Amino acid sequence: MRSEETADQQIETTESDHSLSKVPYNERKMGWLSITNITFGIATAIFYFQIGSVMALQFGAINALISAAYAIIVAGIMGTVIVYLSARSGMNVNLMSRGGGFGYIGASLTSLIYASNFIMYCALEGMILVFAVHEFFPVIPVWLLIVVFGTLVIPLNWFGIKQLDKLQKWSLPIFFVFLITAIVVSFMTPSKYDGAFWTYMPEGMQVGGTALLLCIGMQHGIIGLTALIASDYARFLKPSHIKGGSFAIGFIPQIFCYGVMGGLGIWFGVRLNEPNPGVYIVHLLGIGGALFTMLTQVRINVTNIYSSSLSLSNFFENVVNFKPGRRFWVVVAGVAAMVLMLGGITDHLDAALTFQGVFLMSWAAILVTDFLVVKRMMKIGPGYYEERQEYLYKWNPVGVWSLIISSLLGTIAALGYMGPFMQSTAAFFAALLAAVLTIVIAYITKGKYYLNDNAEKINDIDERDILVKSKAGGK
């Protein structure tokens, strides 16, 4: 009896989290402002400071600024489409992938890699916090800081999206107070560069050319992630907010990520001649800098752990029918991130970002192409997203082969085997190739593998109801 009660509780927890199924139409009650607020947990990460500072000091401030504009446009467009699809279907990208060209086992593999990316990012963001606190309190061992801050994000994720919304709401004003203070103090601190910050150019570099391509290559490592991650929250969006809200949720966080935080990182890096924000923020604000870093990194890491827990739930439910609930995977993801931090993940940052950029850009390109071209223009496959296993094939070659081929060739290009130009644009090349392959394979297979024979027995029209209601403004 006790085991049956435990099982029922686990099923209830999983269903309330909607980690294994779409969010029901009547539970999509969050406004676009609340969703955008949650995604600001991503946008306010100091990691964007670091990317901006590193690019400016290595390749020149103007190249870094141009690449930031490129990132806003590309991630904004991809993010807007994905948010729209997520809000309309009530699914995140893991679930949409099932009926969006991958099949339910094919989508599970993407979920596992997706989860590993979030865990890796949690570790990278966590190390920025650890180094910042260690900079101010060097007597505290690094390993102890890793355990403390790695454990902290687990209880903050315990109650799902409502708890995340509250956390981001009360912490955002505090974040802005710290940010404005850091900017003011930086103005009062003598600059180590005499000219205007945007004129900074290292010796041997020039505007455009290889330097700009290298900056864009670094942006590719995170563009795919910021475009995809909003789907985990946009699935709760009110149907009446879909049209305008999709654009706001798709673009506003990207503008802040790459334009505001990345731009400030360029400015801080040039003025202070230091690429590591965990160092220069502490030097500017002292103990306040350590607290500022703690706030920003906790904000981003609760979203990293949340998204990774959803992806892990999806993978293990599909592959081995293991359904312990999202909270179990929150603990697993948190512990895995701590293991990566203790193992020195920052020593392998370039390789990690390279693989992530190629994979996530390819995946996002497949989802966007499948919807805009295959489903809408070519009229191949169903016009809605089906996530239930009984109506799906295990594998759909449209998404699976497109992802495998584009990721493989993109990785080869990123490693330099196709020349310096392809190396710098590997993720963009992989995304373009993935889009083309999606169209070609969908045309060859004629949509055969989107739904199996059982789909003829579908007697509910909830997906179609949602489409109609969303177009009518949710009335």
Side-chain angles (χ1 to χ4, degrees):
M1 178 66 70
R2 183 175 298 275
S3 62
E4 290 178 0
E5 291 176 356
T6 302
D8 290 340
Q9 290 171 354
Q10 289 177 338
I11 292 173
E12 183 180 351
T13 299
T14 299
E15 290 177 347
S16 64
D17 291 326
H18 303 297
S19 56
L20 304 177
S21 62
K22 68 181 180 183
V23 177
Y25 185 83
N26 60 358
E27 292 186 31
R28 304 176 201 177
K29 299 177 180 179
M30 297 187 71
W32 70 267
L33 195 57
S34 290
I35 301 295
T36 303
N37 173 64
I38 294 175
T39 60
F40 257 70
I42 308 159
T44 56
I46 285 184
F47 183 75
Y48 298 104
F49 277 177
Q50 187 167 24
I51 291 291
S53 299
V54 169
M55 286 192 301
L57 293 176
Q58 289 188 6
F59 309 115
I62 191 66
N63 288 319
L65 289 168
I66 294 172
S67 74
Y70 166 85
I72 290 171
I73 294 170
V74 174
I77 293 173
M78 295 176 71
T80 297
V81 175
I82 289 170
V83 166
Y84 173 76
L85 296 178
S86 176
R88 198 179 75 163
S89 66
M91 305 177 199
N92 61 9
V93 288
N94 295 313
L95 292 176
M96 282 194 294
S97 293
R98 296 183 182 185
F102 288 87
Y104 72 85
I105 295 296
S108 299
L109 297 180
T110 65
S111 297
L112 182 61
I113 302 175
Y114 194 43
S116 67
N117 284 322
F118 281 114
I119 292 170
M120 181 196 73
Y121 257 120
C122 183
L124 292 172
E125 300 283 2
M127 288 309 296
I128 293 177
L129 170 57
V130 166
F131 287 139
V133 176
H134 186 67
E135 180 78 13
F136 199 81
F137 297 109
V139 68
I140 303 178
V142 169
W143 68 265
L144 180 58
L145 293 173
I146 289 173
V147 172
V148 170
F149 293 124
T151 305
L152 178 64
V153 295
I154 294 176
L156 291 175
N157 251 293
W158 208 246
F159 297 102
I161 191 167
K162 291 183 180 179
Q163 183 182 16
L164 294 184
D165 186 29
K166 292 178 181 178
L167 172 65
Q168 305 295 16
K169 278 181 179 176
W170 71 254
S171 61
L172 189 60
I174 302 173
F175 163 82
F176 278 116
V177 169
F178 275 121
L179 180 63
I180 293 170
T181 304
I183 294 171
V184 171
V185 173
S186 182
F187 267 117
M188 298 168 61
T189 303
S191 175
K192 296 186 179 181
Y193 177 65
D194 294 333
F197 82 96
W198 64 82
T199 64
Y200 177 82
M201 185 67 65
E203 186 176 351
M205 294 293 171
Q206 61 182 5
V207 178
T210 303
L212 177 58
L213 289 176
L214 288 171
C215 286
I216 289 175
M218 291 183 68
Q219 300 283 22
H220 281 155
I222 48 179
I223 286 175
L225 182 70
T226 57
L228 289 166
I229 192 175
S231 73
D232 289 331
Y233 315 105
R235 61 204 177 108
F236 293 94
L237 185 65
K238 292 179 181 179
S240 60
H241 287 200
I242 288 178
K243 289 185 179 179
S246 296
F247 183 81
I249 299 168
F251 263 95
I252 292 175
Q254 317 301 343
I255 293 171
F256 204 85
C257 283
Y258 305 104
V260 177
M261 295 296 285
L264 284 172
I266 296 169
W267 185 68
F268 281 131
V270 171
R271 282 185 61 87
L272 304 173
N273 193 32
E274 170 59 55
N276 190 339
V279 174
Y280 60 66
I281 292 296
V282 171
H283 285 176
L284 286 173
L285 301 181
I287 184 64
L291 293 174
F292 179 42
T293 305
M294 184 184 303
L295 177 70
T296 60
Q297 301 317 93
V298 168
R299 282 169 57 84
I300 178 62
N301 268 351
V302 292
T303 60
N304 283 332
I305 293 295
Y306 179 79
S307 292
S308 62
S309 69
L310 294 180
S311 297
L312 289 171
S313 296
N314 186 286
F315 174 80
F316 283 95
E317 186 265 344
N318 281 343
V319 177
V320 295
N321 198 31
F322 182 51
K323 306 176 184 179
R326 187 187 63 83
R327 291 172 177 173
F328 174 83
W329 297 116
V330 165
V331 176
V332 171
V335 172
M338 280 187 276
V339 171
L340 288 178
M341 286 190 278
L342 292 169
I345 180 64
T346 52
D347 296 335
H348 308 284
L349 178 61
D350 291 344
L353 286 178
T354 295
F355 173 76
Q356 177 170 286
V358 167
F359 171 78
L360 293 181
M361 287 281 285
S362 299
W363 185 16
I366 291 168
L367 289 176
V368 171
T369 304
D370 178 77
F371 171 69
L372 293 178
V373 181
V374 176
K375 282 182 167 60
R376 284 212 161 182
M377 296 174 61
M378 300 172 67
K379 306 297 182 183
I380 293 176
Y384 62 96
Y385 287 91
E386 179 57 66
E387 91 284 7
R388 292 166 292 187
Q389 292 186 14
E390 60 266 31
Y391 302 126
L392 296 167
Y393 283 97
K394 290 183 178 181
W395 305 92
N396 186 338
V398 174
V400 173
W401 282 112
S402 297
L403 184 66
I404 291 174
I405 295 171
S406 60
S407 296
L408 179 60
L409 293 178
T411 300
I412 291 173
L415 294 174
Y417 292 107
M418 296 184 184
F421 176 78
M422 293 297 290
Q423 183 175 17
S424 303
T425 58
F428 183 82
F429 159 71
L432 183 61
L433 179 61
V436 172
L437 288 171
T438 299
I439 296 169
V440 172
I441 299 174
Y443 177 79
I444 293 173
T445 58
K446 304 297 183 184
K448 176 182 177 182
Y449 298 97
Y450 278 85
L451 296 173
N452 62 25
D453 294 338
N454 291 332
E456 297 177 2
K457 302 175 184 177
I458 296 178
N459 55 16
D460 63 82
I461 57 172
D462 59 335
E463 285 285 356
R464 294 162 183 78
D465 280 344
I466 290 167
L467 295 180
V468 172
K469 290 177 181 179
S470 64
K471 289 179 180 178
K475 298 178 182 179

